[in-house]
Amino acid sequence: MIAASSSQLFRMARNPESKSAAISATVECLGNLREAITTPGFGDLGVTILPTTLMLATTCVCAGDTTTFRKHLNGALHIVQRDKSKYSLDPLWWMSLKWLVHCLLMNRLSGLPLPSRQTKGFIDWDYLLTCMPDLGRIDLTSGFSRELVITLNMVCELSEPRCINVDASGELHGYDLARSAYSHELELRLIELRNKTASTVTDVVLRAELETTHRLFTDATLLCLYRRADELPKDNPKVQTAVKSIINSLQNIHKQSPVHAQLLWPLLAAGCDSTTHAERTIVVETMESMTARGMGSYENVLEFMRDYWKNGGDMRWDLFAKQTGKDLVLF
């Protein structure tokens, strides 16, 4: 907590003393984490080690350090793999799993190679999804529903480069037809998810923000499907409809709402594929507001987005990021 708080204070106030405190606390925390993770005697502390690891990971993202973020993410996956049978009823453990799911999804959307533990079948998604609400409900912590997490994972799988050996042109044609049908199925599922409501939430403001956040994530997933899986150009009507939906949803959230802190991915997706000055202005103003609150990840992504508007053309933003060597984690 000291490491995260000092780091945040430094980003907001540029106070050198806060930076020194953040570095000292982080070094001490990392040393204790390494001991806790590798020493059998600390096995019973996994329920607190996991959120501590995720806090350090998130702090790194806020500071723009995505390399160290992924190291922490690998550590978190190791803790889950080791301790998942111990804490089936602990609420802190389940909250941490939701946190981890969000980190994993946003990391995957970066379009860059994933950490080793994420590329070798190390993630037990069936287990991780048990932390999400029952089907039909939106999670109060993340703004995702279980159905949306599952669908986003499917879109990411569909978007990854093909690794198939085809002996005959007919087989390739059949594969493309099946892929197209699968993409259309995901599109229909996402369009339906756009209208999901948080009917069990009684607070009017919270309910509205929760439903809007879920719609933003759903539209961002649609953009991912259209641009990465279907390879549609930026000016395609489907792409622009999703962009406009995101912009409209953003305008329904109060400018000072803390919910903006988790909307970096929809902001980037809509911002890069937007085609009008008015749309881009809305995105920039929202991101500048979050940057002023010390969110270093927003500052980095805004810098990238401006470069993309200038030099990216119709290229997908994830490919432009890879081409320019920009590493983005979108939360």
Side-chain angles (χ1 to χ4, degrees):
M1 288 294 290
I2 294 173
S5 300
S6 299
S7 181
Q8 176 72 355
L9 179 60
F10 168 70
R11 287 192 297 274
M12 295 181 70
R14 302 297 179 184
N15 183 340
E17 293 180 358
S18 299
K19 183 177 183 179
S20 299
I23 293 173
S24 299
T26 301
V27 170
E28 181 179 355
C29 189
L30 285 174
N32 291 335
L33 267 177
R34 291 191 186 97
E35 182 180 3
I37 291 172
T38 58
T39 304
F42 283 89
D44 293 336
L45 299 178
V47 69
T48 55
I49 295 172
L50 181 57
T52 303
T53 304
L54 292 171
M55 179 175 287
L56 284 169
T58 305
T59 300
C60 287
V61 171
C62 290
D65 183 359
T66 54
T67 300
T68 308
F69 158 76
R70 289 190 172 93
K71 292 179 181 178
H72 290 315
L73 203 56
N74 269 341
L77 287 168
H78 174 80
I79 294 166
V80 171
Q81 185 74 4
R82 186 192 69 180
D83 295 341
K84 63 183 180 181
S85 62
K86 297 180 181 179
Y87 305 112
S88 59
L89 299 177
D90 194 297
L92 179 59
W93 180 259
W94 290 108
M95 184 277 290
S96 301
L97 290 181
K98 292 180 183 181
W99 193 350
L100 176 59
V101 166
H102 194 81
C103 289
L104 290 171
L105 289 173
M106 295 305 105
N107 182 62
R108 189 170 194 183
L109 287 164
S110 68
L112 294 174
L114 299 175
S116 58
R117 292 194 185 279
Q118 297 186 58
T119 56
K120 298 178 181 178
F122 202 84
I123 301 177
D124 184 352
W125 277 106
D126 289 338
Y127 171 73
L128 290 178
L129 285 173
T130 59
C131 73
M132 299 298 292
D134 295 335
L135 295 177
R137 300 178 64 182
I138 301 174
D139 180 57
L140 295 174
T141 306
S142 66
F144 278 91
S145 62
R146 184 182 297 199
E147 299 98 313
L148 183 53
V149 170
I150 293 171
T151 307
L152 176 54
N153 247 334
M154 292 176 175
V155 170
C156 287
E157 291 286 349
L158 191 64
S159 303
E160 290 176 354
R162 305 179 202 178
C163 297
I164 57 172
N165 294 317
V166 180
D167 296 326
S169 59
E171 292 183 20
L172 178 59
H173 179 66
Y175 172 83
D176 284 340
L177 286 176
R179 192 173 185 276
S180 178
Y182 183 47
S183 174
H184 183 61
E185 178 186 336
L186 292 177
E187 179 186 19
L188 294 178
R189 187 181 303 181
L190 287 165
I191 291 173
E192 183 178 352
L193 284 174
R194 289 190 72 257
N195 300 316
K196 181 176 286 296
T197 61
S199 56
T200 59
V201 178
T202 56
D203 185 288
V204 176
V205 175
L206 175 60
R207 175 175 175 173
E209 289 191 341
L210 200 59
E211 291 173 352
T212 302
T213 300
H214 188 272
R215 190 175 302 114
L216 282 161
F217 286 142
T218 304
D219 283 326
T221 306
L222 274 169
L223 275 179
C224 185
L225 177 69
Y226 293 148
R227 293 286 274 150
R228 298 192 189 187
D230 296 342
E231 300 181 350
L232 298 179
K234 186 184 298 186
D235 60 0
N236 183 277
K238 287 186 176 182
V239 173
Q240 288 308 307
T241 296
V243 169
K244 287 176 172 56
S245 180
I246 289 176
I247 298 299
N248 290 337
S249 294
L250 286 172
Q251 293 178 295
N252 291 330
I253 300 176
H254 191 278
K255 289 186 177 181
Q256 299 302 316
S257 172
V259 78
H260 284 115
Q262 64 194 76
L263 299 180
L264 185 53
W265 169 41
L267 282 163
L268 174 66
C272 287
D273 284 336
S274 62
T275 57
T276 70
H277 177 72
E279 291 172 343
R280 293 178 178 181
T281 298
I282 292 171
V283 171
V284 169
E285 288 178 349
T286 303
M287 296 182 73
E288 286 179 339
S289 173
M290 296 310 301
T291 298
R293 301 183 199 181
M295 301 294 288
S297 51
Y298 272 76
E299 185 176 12
N300 292 338
V301 171
L302 183 55
E303 178 186 351
F304 164 79
M305 191 182 300
R306 284 174 168 145
D307 186 26
Y308 175 85
W309 287 336
K310 183 178 180 181
N311 301 306
D314 194 53
M315 186 184 298
R316 286 175 9 210
W317 66 259
D318 59 304
L319 296 180
F320 183 73
K322 184 176 182 180
Q323 177 179 291
T324 56
K326 192 72 172 181
D327 189 359
L328 304 171
V329 178
L330 304 176
F331 71 92

